[in-house]
Amino acid sequence: MNKNSQPGGRLRRPDWSSVQLVPFRKNFYQEHPSVTARNPQEVAAFLASKEITVKGTNIPNPLSSFDQAGLLPAIQQTIQKAGWSTPTPIQAQGLPMALSGRDVVGIAQTGSGKTGSFILPAIVHIAAQQRLARGDGPICLVVVPTRELAQQVAEVAQQFGVPVNVRNCCVYGGAPKGPQLRDIERGAEICIATPGRLIDFLEMGKFNLRRTTYLVFDEADRMLDMGFEPQIRKIVEQIRPDRQVLMWSATWPKEVRQLAEEFLHDYIQVNIGALQLSANHMILQIVDVCAEHEKETKLGKLLGDIMQEKDNKTIIFTETKKKVDELVRKMKYDGWPAKGIHGDKSQQEREWVLADFKGSRTPILVATDVASRGLDVSDIKFVINFDYPQSSEDYVHRIGRTARAGASGTAYTFFTQNNSKQAKDLVEVLREANQTVNPKLQMYADSFRGFGGRQRSRWGNGGSSSYGGSSSSSYGGARGGGSDSRRGGGDSRVSSSYGGSSRSGSRWGGYSSAGASAGATNGSTTYQPDR
Ligand SMILES: Nc1ncnc2c1ncn2[C@@H]1O[C@H](COP(=O)(O)OP(=O)(O)OP(=O)(O)O)[C@@H](O)[C@H]1O
Ligand SMILES: [Mg+2]
């Protein structure tokens, strides 16, 4: 796609009113007798115990087991094979909602099984439609913000689709078009796509959405924010208006709610847990209020502790691509097994770096927000926010890379004065999850009271971010000023504060033999943040 032109500028909006639409079925939900038999008090108690809140009219009751969902026997078998013994809360309520053919908004914590909540009903939906004819596009389209997430959702579509002959194709930028087009031509009932390449194929006439009746936005708030809105509009225009639309995320900021409603019709919503912004409660959240120039030393010390743990898979988030490269270079120089991932790396490199991380050949991944949403690496134990993210939603998604599917994990966050605008939101997230609030953080939060509440530069400044694309991120905000003092005093600080433990000759020593003792609870280390 020509970056200077409007996304999808060459795409014409079909005049749906003049098209004879072939009717299709979208309600597949038949309440199981054991669900019908539950009295309202039992249902209410179940909803309360799982912290399920619903909004809208005629919402089906939740399930307590997968066999109440009326899924195909082959899907049921795959669920068993995957070892999913009971539905997670979002699945318990989200499956009947999605199967009933309604437009759905599903909001639930990171790592709580949202992918299954939309893929399983997609397969039921597909199985009931006419078979694809030659040249037909997908029946289910899943739109996601990043390439890696597209590939991951495609794996789930593959896992559940293959036993019932439901094929998928994965459409994303940075990889050769040929193989993706071949998959499309062969016929794929499910397409998982990032917006740029999808629009590209639509413009080329290689692909069409005339058969699409089940439309999913995973990470829906990210897809609707200012960075992606024009592409999303273009894509939605190409799909028949009586489609079923489903939106999923762990966060649902009010800035996108109204916009979302433009794409939804008489929708129903389910929230799991708190209705305000909230993190997964299985994560121990530690916030270290520090100065910019202290971060590298602190990171070194922290890694020294973490790497002595048996389970030590760690993801480190930075604000910029440049910082990812810089940290990886320094860490490698000092012998840490680290690799980096960001939007300026070739797709091939992104894929092998992630594969190495998943396969534990490289236990430390340094990343921009390209890795903050949706990625499911089951054994990540630690998340480190080297730079505080642009928004509190990003914070929740980033730390959600740990503690997946009921596991626990620890998140460390370096928070500087430059981030103080975000302190109030962060304190609220910490309190909601019953975490200790660092008094210095509380001080920042207090000093920003009365300054108009939530501040999110990403919503306010035109949506620049470090996601997948090729635009370079801004270097403003959190990094200002700190780098100078780091250059001036970094190394002396290392040796004075962690006396003797830094490696001689190391460019940013201090972490090699810092006295860690393993075995802290909840996977945390002995690292003591500056409080
Ligand atoms: N019912 C279940 N029982 C056990 N494990 C499950 C169940 N459903 C899903 N899982 C597993 O939980 C993990 C997380 O699922 P998934 O990636 O769908 O979470 P998510 O809610 O989409 O998270 P995020 O907000 O980060 O995208 C996956 O490894 C998945 O296989
Ligand atoms: Mg997900």
Side-chain angles (χ1 to χ4, degrees):
M1 188 173 61
N2 178 355
K3 276 202 224 125
N4 298 320
S5 68
Q6 278 285 92
R10 279 179 284 144
L11 272 183
R12 278 205 325 195
R13 178 195 193 133
D15 177 9
W16 289 111
S17 62
S18 68
V19 179
Q20 183 78 36
L21 292 171
V22 180
F24 73 98
R25 181 175 165 209
K26 55 181 168 183
N27 182 359
F28 306 96
Y29 187 58
Q30 273 209 313
E31 198 172 62
H32 193 272
S34 62
V35 176
T36 313
R38 281 150 97 201
N39 65 42
Q41 289 80 358
E42 283 176 88
V43 173
F46 182 86
L47 293 176
S49 72
K50 306 284 181 200
E51 295 185 77
I52 300 173
T53 314
V54 290
K55 193 177 102 180
T57 53
N58 294 326
I59 297 176
N61 282 335
L63 314 170
S64 51
S65 68
F66 281 115
D67 56 15
Q68 295 168 341
L71 300 165
L72 312 172
I75 298 182
Q76 203 64 42
Q77 277 166 16
T78 312
I79 289 174
Q80 271 168 16
K81 236 165 83 184
W84 296 3
S85 52
T86 45
T88 62
I90 186 67
Q91 291 164 352
Q93 184 63 67
L95 285 173
M97 285 166 73
L99 285 164
S100 67
R102 304 280 299 276
D103 284 3
V104 174
V105 173
I107 309 300
Q109 296 87 349
T110 52
S112 65
K114 293 185 286 294
T115 319
S117 307
F118 61 78
I119 286 290
L120 307 187
I123 293 173
V124 174
H125 181 109
I126 288 162
Q129 311 305 322
Q130 252 177 39
R131 288 185 67 84
L132 288 187
R134 211 180 145 69
D136 276 349
I139 294 168
C140 162
L141 174 67
V142 183
V143 189
V144 300
T146 65
R147 300 162 185 180
E148 286 73 17
L149 183 55
Q151 290 169 325
Q152 182 182 297
V153 173
E155 278 172 29
V156 180
Q158 182 82 0
Q159 178 187 9
F160 287 95
V162 165
V164 283
N165 293 322
V166 167
R167 300 156 293 177
N168 68 80
C169 63
C170 197
V171 165
Y172 55 91
K177 291 178 180 167
Q180 296 181 3
L181 287 172
R182 270 197 294 282
D183 284 348
I184 291 169
E185 274 155 26
R186 234 179 261 137
E189 289 80 8
I190 303 181
C191 172
I192 303 103
T194 55
R197 178 62 62 91
L198 176 66
I199 287 178
D200 204 3
F201 281 174
L202 288 168
E203 283 191 317
M204 288 162 69
K206 296 284 186 192
F207 192 55
N208 68 78
L209 301 174
R210 286 191 293 270
R211 285 289 311 269
T212 305
T213 45
Y214 187 98
L215 172 63
V216 178
F217 294 108
D218 194 16
E219 306 300 340
D221 53 332
R222 173 61 187 136
M223 300 314 305
L224 292 173
D225 83 11
M226 294 161 109
F228 279 117
E229 187 198 327
Q231 285 103 314
I232 295 310
R233 281 190 188 285
K234 278 286 165 196
I235 293 165
V236 173
E237 270 175 23
Q238 299 294 314
I239 303 175
R240 55 191 281 173
D242 54 351
R243 68 215 159 212
Q244 182 181 3
V245 182
L246 306 104
M247 300 190 173
W248 307 86
S249 184
T251 53
W252 200 231
K254 56 177 180 300
E255 289 83 347
V256 302
R257 289 176 206 169
Q258 209 180 342
L259 183 59
E261 285 178 12
E262 283 187 39
F263 301 109
L264 297 162
H265 174 70
D266 184 27
Y267 72 102
I268 50 181
Q269 179 165 343
V270 50
N271 279 67
I272 310 298
L275 293 175
Q276 81 264 33
L277 180 68
S278 57
N280 176 346
H281 287 195
M282 297 299 283
I283 305 167
L284 175 67
Q285 301 178 56
I286 296 171
V287 178
D288 190 344
V289 177
C290 62
E292 189 69 35
H293 69 266
E294 293 175 306
K295 285 182 177 178
E296 288 191 3
T297 308
K298 282 177 175 287
L299 176 64
K301 168 81 169 72
L302 191 48
L303 285 177
D305 284 3
I306 288 172
M307 286 301 136
Q308 296 195 16
E309 302 265 336
K310 194 166 125 284
D311 295 323
N312 56 19
K313 198 170 276 188
T314 301
I315 185 161
I316 302 171
F317 285 103
T318 70
E319 178 57 28
T320 65
K321 300 164 194 169
K322 194 174 157 202
K323 194 74 191 176
V324 168
D325 291 338
E326 192 184 313
L327 281 186
V328 170
R329 201 170 50 244
K330 288 175 174 177
M331 290 163 85
K332 276 191 179 155
Y333 182 88
D334 287 326
W336 291 113
K339 289 202 172 105
I341 191 167
H342 59 62
D344 280 352
K345 300 235 180 220
S346 71
Q347 187 54 27
Q348 219 178 3
E349 184 173 353
R350 280 165 67 160
E351 281 172 31
W352 67 252
V353 164
L354 192 59
D356 271 8
F357 184 59
K358 283 187 175 163
S360 303
R361 289 176 290 280
T362 312
I364 304 173
L365 182 68
V366 188
T368 58
D369 277 312
V370 75
S372 70
R373 286 207 181 227
L375 288 193
D376 183 53
V377 180
S378 60
D379 54 352
I380 295 178
K381 288 309 282 182
F382 300 93
V383 175
I384 302 173
N385 284 306
F386 184 86
D387 297 315
Y388 196 76
Q390 293 277 329
S391 77
S392 321
E393 281 76 21
D394 289 342
Y395 172 80
V396 166
H397 289 280
R398 282 181 178 186
I399 68 170
R401 292 321 94 210
T402 184
R404 318 265 318 155
S408 62
T410 305
Y412 295 94
T413 298
F414 297 155
F415 195 96
T416 70
Q417 190 168 16
N418 280 316
N419 310 127
S420 50
K421 274 203 302 264
Q422 313 217 54
K424 189 167 161 286
D425 273 7
L426 178 57
V427 166
E428 280 169 18
V429 170
L430 292 168
R431 288 213 194 287
E432 195 284 326
N434 305 314
Q435 304 289 307
T436 310
V437 175
N438 183 326
K440 284 189 195 164
L441 182 67
Q442 184 66 61
M443 222 173 64
Y444 283 144
D446 293 340
S447 65
F448 259 83
R449 271 218 177 110
F451 278 79
R454 310 179 89 188
Q455 310 262 335
R456 267 195 221 95
S457 47
R458 199 175 76 203
W459 310 106
N461 67 5
S464 85
S465 82
S466 49
Y467 266 93
S470 55
S471 65
S472 67
S473 313
S474 84
Y475 287 88
R479 299 179 74 250
S483 52
D484 284 339
S485 48
R486 178 163 52 77
R487 258 181 250 124
D491 282 346
S492 61
R493 242 165 231 280
V494 169
S495 49
S496 61
S497 50
Y498 297 113
S501 67
S502 64
R503 292 182 195 179
S504 57
S506 155
R507 267 189 292 182
W508 62 310
Y511 38 61
S512 57
S513 57
S517 71
T521 54
N522 200 9
S524 82
T525 68
T526 56
Y527 170 81
Q528 286 297 317
D530 178 16
R531 294 184 175 229

